[in-house]
Each structure stands twice: as C-alpha cells, then as structure tokens.
Amino acid sequence: MPKVLFALLLGCSFLSTATAADPSRILNEGEVLKDARLGPLRTLNDRYHSWTPPETKEDWEREAEAVRVQLLVSNGLWPMPPKTPLNPVIHGTVERDGYIIQRVFFESLPGHYVTGSIFRPAQLDGKAPGVLCPHGHWANSRFYDAGETEAQKLIDGGGEKYLSGARHHIQARMVHLAKMGCVVFHYDMVGYSDSTQIGHREGFTDVQAGLWLQNAMGLQTWNSIRALDFLCSLPEVDTTRIGVTGASGGGTQTFMLCALDPRPTVAFPAVMVSTAMQGGCICENADYLRVGINNVTIAALFAPKPMALSGANDWTIDIETKGYPELQQIYGLYGERDKVYAKCYPQFGHNYNYVSRRMMYEWFKTHLGLPDDAPVEEADFHPASRAELTVFDAEHPLPGNATDAAGVRKYLTEVQTQQFVELLPEEADDMQEYRRVIGSATRLFFGTHHSSLDELNVEIRANEKLDEETQLIKGTIERKATGANIPFLILTREHGEGRSVVIWADDKGKASLFGEEGSLRAEIKKLLDGGHAVIAFDPFLTGELIGAESTDRLPVNEQYSGYTYGYNKPTLANRVLDVMEVAAGTKAGRVILVGTGQAGLWTLLARGQLDDRIALTIVNLDGFSFSKINSTSDPNFLPGALRYGGVGGLAALAAPHALVIGGWREIPEWERSGLARSYQATQGKLQTQEENFTREQIVEMILGR
C-alpha cells in the first residue's frame, strides 16, 4: 500500500474485495447507505427534543460559550447593532391604591419603537428591584381581558381568586409585583397592543431576510435588551436586582434575554421550557437557533443564577422529569442545585394563572431580597382600562420617523454591511478578529461549533485492481457525532511517488472521475501518472448518498425557513461538512483540494475551516453569488451568508493559504472585497480568473507545483 495513504487506512476494517461492474459504485444492488441525515427532519413539534448536559463544569462552560454564539448568530446579533439613543417618553400617570402606572415608548432602533407600561410602587424608600415582563401571544396582550364568563370559569377551576385577576391576568402580575416593591416594565411584542409598526408575523420571512439573518426573533430579542436598558436607566431601580418573567412566547423572550444579557439576576419563564414543542411562532424561531440543542439548553445558560419554571397541561407537562433534571445537573456543577426549581400544575391548561404567579412571587421575594412583609398573596385590584394604558394619544402621537419592517431591515443591512467592512483586515494581525467573528459564525453554519472533526470511523469495503497499474480502494467515512456516512474511493498507483493526495469534489460525486464504460478520465490518469493519489466521494444528496425518495434538496418550510433550518443544517452546510470530513480523514502529509461543478462552492467554503495540511485549493465557482439566490429551497441557500460578506467574505477565512479560483465573473465587488483584503493583509497566495478552469488546466496546475 502506498506510503501516502497508509495513515488514512490505519485501524480500518476490510469488509470485502468484491468488484462492481461500475467502478465508482460502492454499494451492492438495492443497498442504501445508512446516513442519519437522510432520515426525517427535526421539527419544532417533535415529541422529544433531546439534549445531554456535559458532566463537568469545564465542558459545560465550553459548550455554554458555543451556545451563546449560536444564539447571537441566529438572532442576527453577532456582532450586535450599536445602541442608539432610546429617547424615552414617559407620560399619562394613572394612580391606584399602592401603585402608579405610566405609559412609555422609546426607540430600540432608529424609527422602531418599543411600547409598554411602567408599574411603580406609590411610595419608595431607596432603590427598588426592577422586573422586566414580556408577554406571550394572548389576544390584545397588554390590554388583555378574558371577559367575565371565561374569568368565572378560571375562578371555579381554582386557577384564579378574584375576578380582576381572572379577567386581566397579565395586568395582575404587574400590579402585584409593584405592590411587593418592584418597578415593573411591561412591554409589547412586535405587532401587539401599541406596537403596530410591523405585523407580528410579517416582514422577515423571505430569502433575503434569511441571507442577512434578519428575523422577528432577533428584533424581539433586541427589543428585550433595549427594554432592559430602559429599565436600568430609571433612577429608582437597583440594577443589581433585576428579574425577568413571562409566559408562553413571553417565556421564550425571558430565557432568551437571560441567556444573552448578564444583567438579570433572577428569572421565571412560565409554561415554555420543555423537551417537547419548542415555540410555534416565527418570533420564537430562527435559522440555526436549535440545531443540536433545545430550549432546556438555552435556559441552562442562566446557571448558576436563580431560575424557576412552571409547567401545565401543555407541551411543558413533563418538565419535572424531562428538562428539570438536566437543569439540576448543570446547576449542580456550580454547587447550586437549589437555585433552580420546576413545578408542573397539570390540572390547568396553558396559563400564567394565580397559582403559578404566586409561585413566581415567592421565588422573586426570596431572590430579589424583597422585604419580609412583601405580600405573596394577591388582592383584588382596579384594572386599568385600555384607554389608560394606550401609549399613543393626541399629545403623544407615534413619532414621524416611525418605520416599518422594510425600514428596519434597510437600517440593519447598512449596519451589518458597515460592521463587515470594519472587520476587513489591514494587517495580518487583524485576521485574528476577523476569524473570531466570521469564523465563529461559519463554524455554526457548518456544524463544527460544538465538536471537532476528529471522531471519524473509516471503513474499507473493497480493495481491488482497477487495471494493471491502478489500485482502487472503496469505503465510507462515518462521523459518529452526526451519523453522516460518506462513500469514497481512492485511486493510486502501487509504485507511485506519493507526491500528494488530491481530493476531487464534484456534484456528480465519485462518478466524475470516470468516463464512458467506466474508464478513467484522461486527466485523472495524468494525475496518477504524476505520482499523485486521488480521492473522490459522494457529498450529501449526490451519487450513492441519495436514498430512495430523496432529491437534490430537502423540503424547506414554505412559511419560514427558520422552521426547517432552526433545527436542521442546510443542504449546503452538509455538503461543505462532507468536504471537510473527507479532508480530515485523509492523514497524508500533503493534500490538495479540487472543487468542480457546484462542488466548487462547497470546497471553497470548506477550505476556510481546514488546517495547514491543505497545500493548495483549486475551485470553479461558475459566477456563483449568494445574492443571486431567490428561494429558501435553493440547495445553496445558506442563512447568514450575506451577513458575513457573501462568498468572498466566507472564503477569506482561507487566507493566507494557497487558493486558486476560477469562474470569478459576475460576483459583486463587495462580495469579492473580503477575500481580496484578507489575502492582501496576510500576503497570501491567491489567484483568480473570470472564467472557469478546464479540468485539464486544473491538472496542469497541480502537476506544476
């Protein structure tokens, strides 16, 4: 066996030496390769979303850092937009027994207004804890009124004590927290109550929004961060005692904010955290958000700060046995198991009723350091009317600069573009920050942010003679972490010089090395004659890695790509990862990567993730640009690609290693800029030409080095 491939095959088992009629085929007739990626897609409604917590604090903190980046990237907040002036307006004081209510609006982004209500104790002695209260998808939200008939049912069922709280359960929470001594800010979800600039499920579901990672969840998360900025700016608020609590979609906002912002000190996400349904609205989903994780993972990022959770007869019904134990395990790593608590009330449907509110009051009283005489039992109250809560009126109209989703996206695109430009390196040392930001995002894109490429199992299925001079080895590379199983073949000469291994990726897979009647293509023979070994493989959904019912694209949710790619890697990401895994499984000293056809893009993106062993990379792009993609079902759709500089910005991670690109035509100048600047700063070896290289030209370049 040639020395150049010996390391590749060490420890591999040989299954057979059967010769197939088609030399590119590995599988027997009727055999389907077992690849977990060919199975059913994960969806938000799966009955069980698993997550296994790490067993050591060190491993958890490493994972927690990766998960935080995952959340920030998926929300379009990596890096975050600048914090522009809030310009808050507070008006319309309403006085009640023991508390006051005021109306609020401020700019979280220029022209985008967050609206809500402040509930304050009528008398304050010193600074008070602040509590941030997002709400869920209840009709009219901040103005919610269940009506007298429904309210009476809640009282009769034991979920409420008073008609006021039963009819206005959302308002009841704010009122009682204020009576306990907290300053409470209750703010609107996008598209609810006074937040009417953008429809709740509108404006962020098209292909361009995906390519820029501009989504409703990211906007709401940003609004939560700015709402916390506003709350902490109030002079009477003790910023060392901040609570956050919401239910349902408000629970999602609660654990997302608490995962990303270090300022909250106690949390209570109600009826949301579970291992079942993960959040049904577009405002609770985003591309990449839960790939490899679930809501329990996100909630765990708050550890070891105190957090309690309630469950009900909904998707959270099993929280005490599925989810809570995992959270206890994480808190236990810090010696703080008593700082997390979960309780299910299966006698009630989806709710934030008096029973679960009282649980929250007790938790907040303890962990916000409220006075001993702060009441945890609600009393009857006089609800504020819609007119008393409505933010905009004749004297305080919606400002004239208010903008819609298109305006918000225009602003975000300008900011994100400027952030990318500022990352472009001037000197070699600047590449460190470029790789930190762009590299962290792409590791998430391609699925290597949680694990390495080292867990590979190479299995040899055949070792035979193709002709008198050429040895043909066939096998599969399995990655245990993902269940990926890639068929490959190796062509080599028994007495070759062992100059290098050429990994040739093509959208036709292994078959691209052969011409009619299974004969080797002339250019491949030339590589072998020159002493090189050649590896070819079938990337995801090509060649033999297709499956009986598969096509060249996975079904993407027609309503919103985040429902698909929030739980599953994009097709392009799987293909890029396949290139990476074949390269990682090739332990030869000198490796050359070649990408032709659509695989030119896959190979180029893979090169930016690989180490110094890749001596040369040659690809054809055929004029590809992410800006040309017009459908989320396009197999080359990669959420966030334009956010981080397009094809050139992502490829720039390969600098300074030798890179040759053909088909560079029709690619916008700004997409080229990242690649050009990075290679210039690092004095790397970059060659481009407008037209594709022929296969013969590629071989000549390899032989000439």
Side-chain angles (χ1 to χ4, degrees):
M1 188 173 295
K3 182 178 179 181
V4 73
L5 292 178
F6 184 73
L8 170 68
L9 305 179
L10 273 177
C12 302
S13 58
F14 287 74
L15 297 187
S16 70
T17 57
T19 302
D22 179 353
S24 71
R25 284 193 60 82
I26 289 175
L27 304 180
N28 297 319
E29 189 69 30
E31 183 183 2
V32 176
L33 193 64
K34 292 181 180 180
D35 187 306
R37 299 172 299 173
L38 297 175
L41 293 177
R42 185 179 164 207
T43 72
L44 68 93
N45 287 313
D46 284 2
R47 294 182 63 183
Y48 183 65
H49 294 263
S50 63
W51 174 62
T52 302
E55 295 184 357
T56 69
K57 182 180 176 182
E58 181 182 17
D59 287 343
W60 162 241
E61 292 187 340
R62 187 183 303 111
E63 180 171 343
E65 181 180 357
V67 172
R68 282 197 179 91
V69 172
Q70 178 173 353
L71 303 183
L72 289 167
V73 172
S74 64
N75 277 262
L77 301 176
W78 178 262
M80 287 193 179
K83 288 188 174 182
T84 52
L86 292 172
N87 302 319
V89 175
I90 304 174
H91 70 98
T93 299
V94 175
E95 296 184 0
R96 287 290 191 269
D97 183 18
Y99 65 98
I100 63 174
I101 308 171
Q102 293 174 303
R103 314 173 207 187
V104 178
F105 62 92
F106 60 80
E107 289 181 276
S108 66
L109 296 167
H112 179 67
Y113 287 87
V114 175
T115 51
S117 305
I118 299 178
F119 291 73
R120 309 173 190 258
Q123 299 293 328
L124 276 175
D125 183 15
K127 289 184 177 288
V131 177
L132 201 60
C133 286
H135 61 73
H137 294 91
W138 279 276
N140 299 317
S141 55
R142 199 159 43 86
F143 308 143
Y144 179 78
D145 182 349
E148 188 169 344
T149 301
E150 184 61 31
Q152 190 59 53
K153 292 179 183 178
L154 296 173
I155 294 173
D156 295 343
E160 296 287 352
K161 289 184 66 176
Y162 301 101
L163 196 62
S164 57
R167 289 186 63 169
H168 306 272
H169 80 268
I170 294 178
Q171 192 176 151
R173 180 180 9 139
M174 319 307 153
V175 168
H176 194 70
L177 284 167
K179 288 182 176 181
M180 292 177 70
C182 301
V183 177
V184 185
F185 181 51
H186 183 207
Y187 60 107
D188 294 326
M189 297 174 81
V190 173
Y192 277 73
S193 300
D194 287 312
S195 179
T196 58
Q197 298 170 244
I198 302 173
H200 187 65
R201 294 172 175 83
E202 299 173 0
F204 295 92
T205 59
D206 59 276
V207 64
Q208 286 297 311
L211 288 167
W212 285 93
L213 284 175
Q214 297 168 356
N215 50 63
M217 185 169 205
L219 180 59
Q220 288 201 161
T221 300
W222 180 249
N223 285 351
S224 294
I225 293 170
R226 300 314 316 269
L228 188 51
D229 290 342
F230 167 73
L231 181 65
C232 290
S233 74
L234 299 176
E236 67 271 30
V237 170
D238 179 354
T239 58
T240 66
R241 293 186 291 162
I242 298 293
V244 186
T245 182
S248 192
T252 301
Q253 293 171 76
T254 297
F255 66 67
M256 186 60 62
L257 173 65
C258 290
L260 296 178
D261 197 301
R263 291 173 292 179
T265 54
V266 57
F268 193 104
V271 290
M272 192 62 236
V273 177
S274 80
T275 58
M277 197 278 294
Q278 299 290 285
C281 184
I282 65 167
C283 79
E284 299 173 276
N285 290 274
D287 295 307
Y288 306 116
L289 180 63
R290 297 183 180 92
V291 176
I293 63 172
N294 61 13
N295 285 346
V296 178
T297 323
I298 302 172
L301 293 177
F302 198 57
K305 292 184 285 188
M307 177 176 61
L309 313 91
S310 64
N313 189 13
D314 56 16
W315 54 89
T316 62
I317 194 168
D318 295 322
I319 185 61
E320 293 183 26
T321 57
K322 298 177 181 178
Y324 182 35
E326 292 91 328
L327 291 171
Q328 287 181 302
Q329 181 174 331
I330 294 299
Y331 274 75
L333 299 177
Y334 297 90
E336 300 282 7
R337 286 175 68 93
D338 61 339
K339 292 289 183 66
V340 65
Y341 179 66
K343 174 69 175 175
C344 181
Y345 300 98
Q347 68 270 39
F348 303 120
H350 193 59
N351 74 88
Y352 203 170
N353 63 17
Y354 168 70
V355 176
S356 53
R357 293 197 302 273
R358 191 184 188 284
M359 174 184 165
M360 178 268 292
Y361 300 145
E362 291 176 338
W363 191 258
F364 275 23
K365 180 176 180 177
T366 298
H367 296 290
L368 286 178
L370 294 171
D372 290 341
D373 59 355
V376 295
E377 296 284 347
E378 284 185 358
D380 204 359
F381 69 97
H382 179 195
S385 67
R386 181 168 187 150
E388 290 174 311
L389 295 174
T390 298
V391 168
F392 300 115
D393 57 22
E395 295 181 7
H396 306 88
L398 178 67
N401 71 333
T403 188
D404 57 8
V408 168
R409 286 175 56 180
K410 181 176 183 294
Y411 171 77
L412 289 176
T413 301
E414 291 171 354
V415 167
Q416 291 167 340
T417 301
Q418 183 60 33
Q419 288 174 330
F420 174 73
V421 170
E422 291 173 357
L423 277 173
L424 293 177
E426 296 288 343
E427 300 176 352
D429 289 346
D430 298 335
M431 279 300 294
Q432 182 175 353
E433 179 64 7
Y434 190 91
R435 289 193 178 97
R436 185 188 73 83
V437 176
I438 311 296
S440 295
T442 56
R443 284 193 293 275
L444 171 62
F445 292 176
F446 306 132
T448 59
H449 62 302
H450 284 304
S451 60
S452 69
L453 292 173
D454 295 334
E455 302 169 351
L456 301 176
N457 179 42
V458 181
E459 180 179 86
I460 303 304
R461 298 171 65 102
N463 187 359
E464 58 197 43
K465 287 281 192 178
L466 183 66
D467 54 40
E468 290 185 0
E469 296 182 296
T470 308
Q471 186 177 4
L472 175 61
I473 303 168
K474 299 179 180 181
T476 58
I477 298 177
E478 179 186 14
R479 187 181 183 206
K480 297 178 181 178
T482 62
N485 208 358
I486 309 163
F488 72 89
L489 60 79
I490 303 171
L491 293 168
T492 185
R493 293 284 168 80
E494 286 282 357
H495 304 290
E497 298 176 13
R499 294 179 60 188
S500 65
V501 174
V502 177
I503 301 175
W504 198 304
D506 191 274
D507 53 88
K508 294 183 176 59
K510 306 184 304 300
S512 66
L513 301 189
F514 299 89
E516 295 180 1
E517 299 180 356
S519 60
L520 274 177
R521 297 178 65 105
E523 63 271 16
I524 302 303
K525 286 184 178 180
K526 198 167 185 179
L527 281 175
L528 295 172
D529 291 342
H532 299 279
V534 179
I535 297 178
F537 61 100
D538 291 336
F540 185 56
L541 298 182
T542 68
E544 293 183 282
L545 192 53
I546 290 181
E549 303 298 329
S550 300
T551 64
D552 66 344
R553 62 186 64 183
L554 290 172
V556 180
N557 187 284
E558 294 181 358
Q559 183 183 0
Y560 176 43
S561 66
Y563 286 139
T564 300
Y565 295 141
Y567 302 88
N568 310 275
K569 285 198 294 289
T571 299
L572 175 59
N574 276 304
R575 290 168 167 173
V576 171
L577 189 57
D578 285 353
V579 179
M580 294 164 59
E581 289 177 351
V582 173
T586 305
K587 303 300 184 182
R590 187 170 186 268
V591 178
I592 295 174
L593 282 181
V594 175
T596 50
Q598 293 187 52
L601 171 66
W602 317 339
T603 304
L604 179 63
L605 298 181
R607 178 60 190 94
Q609 309 295 311
L610 294 169
D611 58 27
D612 295 347
R613 289 187 306 104
I614 309 300
L616 171 66
T617 303
I618 306 171
V619 300
N620 281 334
L621 281 183
D622 199 23
F624 175 83
S625 166
F626 285 107
S627 60
K628 298 177 183 178
I629 291 178
N630 56 23
S631 170
T632 58
S633 293
D634 190 310
N636 286 327
F637 172 64
L638 185 68
L642 295 183
R643 170 76 166 92
Y644 298 107
V647 64
L650 302 181
L653 294 167
H657 304 296
L659 179 60
V660 179
I661 302 177
W664 199 231
R665 64 182 182 276
E666 300 176 3
I667 296 176
E669 186 59 35
W670 77 269
E671 279 200 70
R672 300 182 184 214
S673 62
L675 187 67
R677 286 276 293 274
S678 296
Y679 270 83
Q680 183 178 9
T682 59
Q683 299 181 356
K685 300 176 182 179
L686 174 65
Q687 176 185 342
T688 64
Q689 74 171 30
E690 295 298 292
E691 299 303 316
N692 285 338
F693 295 106
T694 66
R695 295 171 71 95
E696 290 77 11
Q697 288 173 325
I698 291 172
V699 169
E700 290 302 323
M701 278 188 277
I702 294 172
L703 295 176
R705 291 182 179 243

